[in-house]
Amino acid sequence: MGDLWVPGKPIGRRLFLGLLGAGAAGLAFTKWSYRADDADSGNVAEAVPLGPMGQTPDIESLIGQHPNILYPERFRYYSVADIPGYSERSWRLIVDGEGLDSSLRLRFNDVTAFPNVAYRSTFRCVNGWRVRNCVWRGVRVRDVIDAAHLNRRAKYVTFSSGDGIYTDSLSLQQARSDHAILAFELNGSPLITEQGRPLRVIFPDMYGYKGVKWVRRLEVKSHRDLGFWEQRGWEIDAYVYNPSAVTG
Amino acid sequence: MSALSAPARRLVRRFGTGELVLHWGYAVLFAVLLLTGLGLYLPPGQNPVLARRELVREIHLDAAIGLLLLPVLVAGAWPRSVAGFWHDVERFDADDAGWLRRVVVPRRLRRRPLPSQDRFNAGQKLNSIVVAAATVGFIVTGCLMWQGEHLPTSLSEAADSWHIWLMLAMLPLIAGHLVLSLLLPSTRPAMRGIITGRVRLDFARRRHAKWTARMAERGEPAD
């Protein structure tokens, strides 16, 4: 037995501090290994060619449903209210507000009839989890609201969920960017219920809470409505990168 | 019969009030954090509180603040009890080293009994230290997740991963703790100690001989 085991030596203190040091080193190493996830405005989303619906692998079913302790990268489904049901017959997307000269009531087929786009992006939650390589197919918010004829009062877009509680908003400029879409398909499959079926907002430049699920209404307004989490202190502009680096 | 069993039924104080409050406060808060954490994490179909994220999150954060305050408040209210706990937990001697080496050998294969142990055996000391360090890890990574919107995403992602890995690492520790305290006949008498503060003298002599010998030297009475 060496000096280490002299009776009464405070080995525990050293072990405690050693564990904290090892933990800090582990955290630093993990951050370094995730460095590619630090996005910038140039790489946050990548346009991908449209394929036939349902032809790409359904990785959602693999990574969405089964937590895997060795591979924790999966969606964690969040909701602050009961998940609204969906009926193709009665479902409508309402597009209205003082910033529009007309209003729209769109069936799901009317929404998907707008020009389709697809983007590959990393879905980032503000709490720290992310899912890489999500291919979202949908229609641009820009195309939908422009169809109702923007007027001079159009400054912000409020998105409301069919759950009657969750809302969020984007500035008109953000909502009209290429990346802001109303998505109805993830990785080749229609959205599952917990993912926002049939339609959710995806804006990969910002954290996931900006992407309202089960979206049922777009209101174009002259003033900003604070979203559900923003009323509770979250950032209004939840960029996943330093927004001061945004150009153009 | 009564003359033989009477000394065995005598009780000795093993834990001070501060230690009891610290243990049970930690246990309750950890249970709340584990359950609400699972409520924030588990997927549809396995998660009955999926649609109540705001409430579950609020409880999780409040319990985390409680976990942060608990040792500070307990140390302020019962400083001697907590100082005694830390003193007894952090010191390891040759018997502790021997105990740790040999406890993993099945009892029937041991050629000698395990070295006598103090108020805490070496496993309990290690457990306390690892849990204390993990708690700091939970709080640090939790704060990084909580403030994720102001941090590089790689840092909040690393914090999220470590928060989960720490939880997974803690599960076998907790499971072992529960098995030893609730199920295993030879260690179950310790449960009385963490509820009332007192354990039976015969149990203390059997499992913590060094401690009872020290008490006898000092002439400390059993109840």
Side-chain angles (χ1 to χ4, degrees):
Chain A
M1 215 58 63
D3 287 350
L4 203 63
W5 298 103
V6 171
K9 268 215 156 182
I11 307 284
R13 191 176 310 185
R14 296 170 202 170
L15 178 60
F16 175 73
L17 294 173
L19 286 170
L20 293 191
L27 187 66
F29 175 78
T30 310
K31 180 197 179 307
W32 176 81
S33 70
Y34 291 165
R35 64 194 181 283
D37 291 334
D38 286 328
D40 58 55
S41 59
N43 69 5
V44 75
E46 169 202 356
V48 295
L50 291 171
M53 285 186 72
Q55 292 298 300
T56 48
D58 177 17
I59 66 164
E60 169 71 0
S61 63
L62 298 175
I63 63 176
Q65 301 294 319
H66 307 291
N68 182 329
I69 59 171
L70 298 176
Y71 185 69
E73 182 173 322
R74 63 175 182 84
F75 279 98
R76 295 177 212 168
Y77 295 100
Y78 293 173
S79 179
V80 296
D82 290 332
I83 294 173
Y86 167 64
S87 153
E88 191 174 348
R89 197 166 56 82
S90 60
W91 187 91
R92 298 289 183 279
L93 177 70
I94 297 168
V95 184
D96 62 358
E98 60 186 308
L100 298 174
D101 286 337
S102 61
S103 63
L104 305 173
R105 281 176 63 84
L106 304 171
R107 293 170 186 273
F108 184 62
N109 286 344
D110 299 329
V111 176
T112 58
F114 281 92
N116 283 200
V117 293
Y119 283 98
R120 183 191 309 280
S121 60
T122 296
F123 187 94
R124 293 177 171 88
C125 174
V126 71
N127 295 141
W129 59 267
R130 44 89 179 93
V131 181
R132 301 183 181 102
N133 290 316
C134 299
V135 177
W136 301 96
R137 179 176 178 144
V139 298
R140 288 199 177 95
V141 174
R142 179 173 71 208
D143 292 338
V144 175
I145 58 176
D146 284 2
H149 307 291
L150 297 169
N151 62 37
R152 282 186 1 198
R153 281 172 292 183
K155 297 282 191 299
Y156 300 96
V157 182
T158 299
F159 303 88
S160 300
S161 166
D163 64 17
I165 291 180
Y166 199 88
T167 64
D168 213 309
S169 62
L170 294 172
S171 72
L172 186 66
Q173 186 186 9
Q174 291 159 355
R176 297 188 81 255
S177 84
D178 283 351
H179 299 163
I181 64 172
L182 299 169
F184 46 81
E185 191 182 310
L186 170 59
N187 296 326
S189 297
L191 299 184
I192 62 169
T193 299
E194 291 82 1
Q195 189 63 269
R197 181 173 183 248
L199 200 66
R200 69 166 298 168
V201 178
I202 287 294
F203 186 41
D205 297 56
M206 293 190 182
Y207 285 110
Y209 70 88
K210 299 295 289 188
V212 174
K213 296 193 285 192
W214 311 288
V215 65
R216 296 286 284 271
R217 188 175 188 188
L218 276 58
E219 290 172 275
V220 181
K221 296 187 165 186
S222 61
H223 64 276
R224 161 89 78 176
D225 288 329
L226 286 182
F228 181 90
W229 289 114
E230 290 146 23
Q231 293 170 32
R232 291 156 178 79
W234 268 253
E235 293 284 332
I236 293 171
D237 289 330
Y239 282 103
V240 299
Y241 45 78
N242 181 358
S244 63
V246 180
T247 54
Chain B
M1 183 67 190
S2 62
L4 283 173
S5 57
R9 286 191 183 147
R10 288 168 61 196
L11 301 174
V12 285
R13 175 164 277 281
R14 188 175 177 208
F15 299 113
T17 308
E19 290 171 306
L20 296 179
V21 173
L22 189 62
H23 175 273
W24 288 111
Y26 191 97
V28 169
L29 289 170
F30 194 90
V32 171
L33 284 160
L34 182 63
L35 291 174
T36 52
L38 288 172
L40 298 173
Y41 180 73
L42 287 176
Q46 300 172 18
N47 191 342
V49 290
L50 193 73
R52 296 289 174 267
R53 182 167 183 82
E54 188 192 12
L55 175 66
V56 177
R57 181 182 181 281
E58 199 60 49
I59 297 170
H60 193 76
L61 290 181
D62 288 346
I65 292 167
L67 196 68
L68 189 63
L69 293 179
L70 178 71
V72 178
L73 295 177
V74 173
W78 295 278
R80 285 182 58 194
S81 178
V82 173
F85 167 71
W86 183 242
H87 175 274
D88 288 356
V89 154
E90 72 164 342
R91 283 161 205 279
F92 287 72
D93 62 16
D95 285 337
D96 290 322
W99 190 95
L100 284 172
R101 272 200 313 273
R102 286 158 54 194
V103 75
V104 292
V105 179
R107 186 181 294 181
R108 65 181 185 283
L109 299 179
R110 284 183 209 142
R111 280 172 288 178
R112 288 171 295 165
L114 291 171
S116 65
Q117 293 288 281
D118 214 313
R119 185 162 72 103
F120 297 105
N121 68 40
Q124 291 162 340
K125 293 178 184 181
L126 262 187
N127 181 62
S128 301
I129 291 160
V130 170
V131 167
T135 303
V136 174
F138 276 123
I139 289 169
V140 169
T141 54
C143 285
L144 294 173
M145 293 162 72
W146 174 50
Q147 289 298 309
E149 61 187 332
H150 306 299
L151 301 170
T153 54
S154 57
L155 182 55
S156 58
E157 285 171 11
D160 174 81
S161 295
W162 275 94
H163 209 73
I164 293 167
W165 293 335
L166 274 175
M167 187 267 290
L168 294 169
M170 287 285 277
L171 289 180
L173 278 185
I174 295 163
H177 189 68
L178 292 176
V179 166
L180 290 171
S181 59
L182 296 174
L183 299 179
L184 208 65
S186 63
T187 50
R188 207 165 44 198
M191 191 68 188
R192 175 185 205 143
I194 204 62
I195 293 172
T196 66
R198 290 174 165 80
V199 290
R200 283 171 57 150
L201 184 57
D202 60 335
F203 168 77
R205 281 178 176 154
R206 202 166 57 243
R207 310 286 303 196
H208 303 277
K210 199 184 282 185
W211 172 52
T212 51
R214 203 153 43 83
M215 280 196 301
E217 267 177 32
R218 290 204 301 258
E220 286 181 19
D223 289 356

PDB file of all heavy atoms in Angstrom, chain B residues 34 63 65 99 121 143 188 196 208 219:
ATOM      1  N   LEU B  34     -35.826  13.279 -12.566  1.00  0.00           N
ATOM      2  CA  LEU B  34     -35.771  12.131 -13.475  1.00  0.00           C
ATOM      3  C   LEU B  34     -37.100  11.976 -14.218  1.00  0.00           C
ATOM      4  O   LEU B  34     -37.123  11.814 -15.441  1.00  0.00           O
ATOM      5  CB  LEU B  34     -35.447  10.866 -12.681  1.00  0.00           C
ATOM      6  CG  LEU B  34     -35.309   9.584 -13.499  1.00  0.00           C
ATOM      7  CD1 LEU B  34     -34.155   9.687 -14.479  1.00  0.00           C
ATOM      8  CD2 LEU B  34     -35.115   8.380 -12.588  1.00  0.00           C
ATOM      9  N   ALA B  63     -37.149  22.216  -9.782  1.00  0.00           N
ATOM     10  CA  ALA B  63     -36.478  21.162  -9.022  1.00  0.00           C
ATOM     11  C   ALA B  63     -34.955  21.292  -9.142  1.00  0.00           C
ATOM     12  O   ALA B  63     -34.222  21.028  -8.182  1.00  0.00           O
ATOM     13  CB  ALA B  63     -36.937  19.788  -9.503  1.00  0.00           C
ATOM     14  N   ILE B  65     -33.320  24.095  -9.489  1.00  0.00           N
ATOM     15  CA  ILE B  65     -32.922  25.187  -8.584  1.00  0.00           C
ATOM     16  C   ILE B  65     -32.903  24.659  -7.148  1.00  0.00           C
ATOM     17  O   ILE B  65     -31.992  24.964  -6.363  1.00  0.00           O
ATOM     18  CB  ILE B  65     -33.891  26.383  -8.736  1.00  0.00           C
ATOM     19  CG1 ILE B  65     -33.711  27.015 -10.113  1.00  0.00           C
ATOM     20  CG2 ILE B  65     -33.664  27.419  -7.641  1.00  0.00           C
ATOM     21  CD1 ILE B  65     -34.809  28.008 -10.504  1.00  0.00           C
ATOM     22  N   TRP B  99     -11.275  -3.239   0.879  1.00  0.00           N
ATOM     23  CA  TRP B  99     -12.720  -3.511   0.758  1.00  0.00           C
ATOM     24  C   TRP B  99     -13.159  -3.388  -0.703  1.00  0.00           C
ATOM     25  O   TRP B  99     -13.873  -4.245  -1.233  1.00  0.00           O
ATOM     26  CB  TRP B  99     -13.476  -2.505   1.642  1.00  0.00           C
ATOM     27  CG  TRP B  99     -14.933  -2.789   1.825  1.00  0.00           C
ATOM     28  CD1 TRP B  99     -15.506  -3.469   2.854  1.00  0.00           C
ATOM     29  CD2 TRP B  99     -16.009  -2.390   0.961  1.00  0.00           C
ATOM     30  NE1 TRP B  99     -16.865  -3.527   2.692  1.00  0.00           N
ATOM     31  CE2 TRP B  99     -17.207  -2.868   1.530  1.00  0.00           C
ATOM     32  CE3 TRP B  99     -16.081  -1.692  -0.228  1.00  0.00           C
ATOM     33  CZ2 TRP B  99     -18.453  -2.673   0.960  1.00  0.00           C
ATOM     34  CZ3 TRP B  99     -17.323  -1.491  -0.806  1.00  0.00           C
ATOM     35  CH2 TRP B  99     -18.488  -1.966  -0.221  1.00  0.00           C
ATOM     36  N   ASN B 121     -19.048   2.667   4.362  1.00  0.00           N
ATOM     37  CA  ASN B 121     -18.085   1.772   3.730  1.00  0.00           C
ATOM     38  C   ASN B 121     -17.542   2.435   2.460  1.00  0.00           C
ATOM     39  O   ASN B 121     -18.066   3.474   2.010  1.00  0.00           O
ATOM     40  CB  ASN B 121     -18.680   0.376   3.479  1.00  0.00           C
ATOM     41  CG  ASN B 121     -19.765   0.378   2.417  1.00  0.00           C
ATOM     42  OD1 ASN B 121     -19.641   1.076   1.409  1.00  0.00           O
ATOM     43  ND2 ASN B 121     -20.821  -0.401   2.627  1.00  0.00           N
ATOM     44  N   CYS B 143     -27.650  24.232 -17.129  1.00  0.00           N
ATOM     45  CA  CYS B 143     -27.595  25.694 -17.335  1.00  0.00           C
ATOM     46  C   CYS B 143     -27.234  26.010 -18.791  1.00  0.00           C
ATOM     47  O   CYS B 143     -27.776  26.953 -19.380  1.00  0.00           O
ATOM     48  CB  CYS B 143     -26.565  26.333 -16.394  1.00  0.00           C
ATOM     49  SG  CYS B 143     -27.138  26.427 -14.689  1.00  0.00           S
ATOM     50  N   ARG B 188     -30.222  -4.377   4.139  1.00  0.00           N
ATOM     51  CA  ARG B 188     -31.492  -3.695   4.320  1.00  0.00           C
ATOM     52  C   ARG B 188     -31.637  -2.968   5.659  1.00  0.00           C
ATOM     53  O   ARG B 188     -32.302  -1.936   5.727  1.00  0.00           O
ATOM     54  CB  ARG B 188     -32.637  -4.693   4.125  1.00  0.00           C
ATOM     55  CG  ARG B 188     -33.912  -4.054   3.643  1.00  0.00           C
ATOM     56  CD  ARG B 188     -34.885  -5.074   3.124  1.00  0.00           C
ATOM     57  NE  ARG B 188     -34.974  -6.252   3.985  1.00  0.00           N
ATOM     58  CZ  ARG B 188     -35.475  -7.410   3.600  1.00  0.00           C
ATOM     59  NH1 ARG B 188     -35.922  -7.577   2.375  1.00  0.00           N
ATOM     60  NH2 ARG B 188     -35.538  -8.444   4.423  1.00  0.00           N
ATOM     61  N   THR B 196     -34.661   6.985  10.320  1.00  0.00           N
ATOM     62  CA  THR B 196     -34.731   7.487  11.702  1.00  0.00           C
ATOM     63  C   THR B 196     -33.412   8.115  12.170  1.00  0.00           C
ATOM     64  O   THR B 196     -33.386   8.759  13.218  1.00  0.00           O
ATOM     65  CB  THR B 196     -35.071   6.344  12.667  1.00  0.00           C
ATOM     66  OG1 THR B 196     -33.967   5.423  12.677  1.00  0.00           O
ATOM     67  CG2 THR B 196     -36.336   5.625  12.240  1.00  0.00           C
ATOM     68  N   HIS B 208     -19.991  -2.091  10.110  1.00  0.00           N
ATOM     69  CA  HIS B 208     -19.211  -0.861  10.306  1.00  0.00           C
ATOM     70  C   HIS B 208     -18.408  -0.964  11.600  1.00  0.00           C
ATOM     71  O   HIS B 208     -18.483  -0.098  12.475  1.00  0.00           O
ATOM     72  CB  HIS B 208     -20.139   0.368  10.318  1.00  0.00           C
ATOM     73  CG  HIS B 208     -20.967   0.492   9.080  1.00  0.00           C
ATOM     74  ND1 HIS B 208     -20.495   1.066   7.921  1.00  0.00           N
ATOM     75  CD2 HIS B 208     -22.225   0.059   8.796  1.00  0.00           C
ATOM     76  CE1 HIS B 208     -21.435   1.016   6.982  1.00  0.00           C
ATOM     77  NE2 HIS B 208     -22.496   0.393   7.496  1.00  0.00           N
ATOM     78  N   GLY B 219     -16.503   6.169  24.232  1.00  0.00           N
ATOM     79  CA  GLY B 219     -17.528   6.001  25.255  1.00  0.00           C
ATOM     80  C   GLY B 219     -18.877   6.562  24.850  1.00  0.00           C
ATOM     81  O   GLY B 219     -19.690   6.920  25.704  1.00  0.00           O
TER      82      GLY B 219
END
